[in-house]
Amino acid sequence: MNAADLGLPVDVPSTALFTDQYELTMLQAALQGGTADRRSVFEVFTRRLPEGRRYGVVAGIGRVLDAVENFRFDPGVLGFLRDQGIVDEPTLKWLAGYRFSGDIWGYPEGEVYFPGSPILRVEGSFAECVLLETVILSILNHDSAIAAAASRMSAAAGGRRLIEMGARRTHELAAVASARAAYVGGFDSTSDLAAGFRYGIPTVGTSAHAFTLLHDSERDAFRAQVETLGRGTTLLVDTYDVAEAVRTAVEVAGKELGAVRIDSGDLLLVAHRVRAQLDELGAKNTKIVVTSDLDEYAIASLAAAPVDAYGVGTQLVTGSGHPTCSMVYKLVARATSADPKAPLIAVAKKSVGGKVSVGGRKWAARRTDEEGVAEAEVLGTGPVPPELAERQLLVELVKGGDVVAREPLEAARTRHFEARAGLPMSAIQLSRGEPVLSTEYV
């Protein structure tokens, strides 16, 4: 099952109002001024990576495709715009028939990106493209930030399993998007059932401290859980005394106990003690899961600990300190008239203070060294050099308004692992540093 089968995660009439008012006022002025039909090219990019990050992760492409398909101005939406006096009647009439009919190219989901990378390229009339700015940016900025944090945590985990469990630390819909982005970035499962239902992400979960506290004794709680969920369940052992809880857990479930979870204390020290105790009790195959405000640095610090899985919440769904990627959506080329045959000319904002843009409809390729390791992100507006023809990054996502590149989420996750593996080894260092690849314009 995929997102296209299920539709939106909430019952909303469309995605058309996931936008800023100035997009509609620009549309009205362009319609009246005769420039609305000029062929235009918009690009999504970021001028810099979040401080200390060495690469970005493209996430949310699948959600963008859903949002573009559902960008419709139905009678209720049009009535709201009319009642609020946001646009005039001719503009409302135009919006009533809105369907994106242009083309979208972009980095495939799971790919890595760098400053200046044309992550998404939206082509069509000015009118139809300008309306998509906010919904595209809101999805890509959020999901890519979560995926980048997840990727760093995945690299730090070194193959140990990762559980996304941040639903209670963010907006209920952001939680679903976060779980999806985390899966792209390397997490293995989620505690959020809505994410499992909508995207097919494996879900996990057993019990909280409240379940233990409900019972007259910890033994009673463990017995009830094991009798209901089986010996392979995960028992939470830090409600009272960890050592006593581990002993009780093995007595109740036997050596076949699936796992124990530790949610507090000095995780490094406690994990070593619990592992030793489990081994002494004969439960050598029982796994240890740790939670408690983990981030990539805490995960890395536990590399030497006998931990089998990490559960991460707050730091993951907030981007581990960087909840947005600062992506922008800029017009980079437009036709000289509404004539479909009119040539495109490059356009760009001229600004001081670091907000400089590079005009022109761009291609992107990743140059590698003789061993296949990436060494530069190469961008250009002219012909693609022959040696980079097979290294181009943008793929066609929407053609003539129709989605042509929807794919299973698993494909994006696999692509990310491959893309990250193709970067220089310094990419996964947690120490602060510059982007691991430079961006070159040719």
Side-chain angles (χ1 to χ4, degrees), residues 43-293:
E43 287 179 354
V44 174
F45 62 92
T46 184
R47 297 183 177 95
R48 63 190 65 84
L49 296 181
E51 183 181 358
R53 296 290 168 88
R54 301 191 175 210
Y55 62 92
V57 180
V58 178
I61 294 295
R63 297 209 307 122
V64 165
L65 299 180
D66 291 342
V68 171
E69 283 192 330
N70 285 285
F71 206 89
R72 304 285 188 269
F73 291 84
D74 61 25
V77 170
L78 293 170
F80 166 77
L81 297 175
R82 180 180 291 110
D83 293 343
Q84 297 300 312
I86 292 173
V87 291
D88 61 15
E89 285 300 322
T91 305
L92 289 171
K93 183 177 180 180
W94 188 93
L95 290 172
Y98 179 86
R99 299 291 186 275
F100 180 73
S101 63
D103 302 327
I104 300 178
W105 289 70
Y107 280 39
E109 190 154 17
E111 184 58 84
V112 296
Y113 71 87
F114 298 90
S117 296
I119 295 164
L120 204 71
R121 189 175 72 216
V122 183
E123 304 183 34
S125 70
F126 176 83
E128 64 180 338
C129 294
V130 74
L131 295 182
L132 300 176
E133 174 183 1
T134 300
V135 69
I136 286 175
L137 287 180
S138 66
I139 292 171
L140 293 182
N141 267 313
H142 174 270
D143 289 21
S144 297
I146 306 306
S151 179
R152 285 164 61 85
M153 294 175 189
S154 171
R160 295 173 176 176
R161 299 187 66 79
L162 289 162
I163 306 164
E164 185 281 317
M165 48 195 306
R168 65 191 64 189
R169 296 292 188 256
T170 188
H171 185 279
E172 65 272 18
L173 299 184
V176 182
S178 295
R180 182 186 184 281
Y183 191 69
V184 171
F187 272 60
D188 299 285
S189 57
T190 179
S191 65
D192 191 271
L193 290 178
F197 173 70
R198 180 164 170 76
Y199 296 117
I201 301 169
T203 59
V204 297
T206 51
S207 67
H209 293 101
F211 185 76
T212 301
L213 295 170
L214 169 69
H215 292 80
D216 294 334
S217 70
E218 196 167 45
R219 181 179 296 274
D220 289 343
F222 288 172
R223 182 180 295 111
Q225 184 174 327
V226 170
E227 289 177 352
T228 303
L229 301 179
R231 296 177 185 274
T233 191
T234 299
L235 296 177
L236 181 59
V237 295
D238 72 330
T239 305
Y240 304 116
D241 178 84
V242 173
E244 182 59 31
V246 170
R247 184 177 301 105
T248 302
V250 175
E251 288 176 358
V252 171
K255 299 176 182 179
E256 297 80 21
L257 174 62
V260 296
R261 179 163 74 95
I262 307 166
D263 187 53
S264 59
D266 183 336
L267 297 179
L268 179 62
L269 175 62
V270 175
H272 277 288
R273 288 177 173 173
V274 168
R275 179 74 271 158
Q277 186 179 10
L278 287 170
D279 291 347
E280 289 173 2
L281 294 171
K284 294 185 178 181
N285 293 323
T286 299
K287 308 297 184 184
I288 297 176
V289 180
V290 296
T291 54
S292 185
D293 293 325

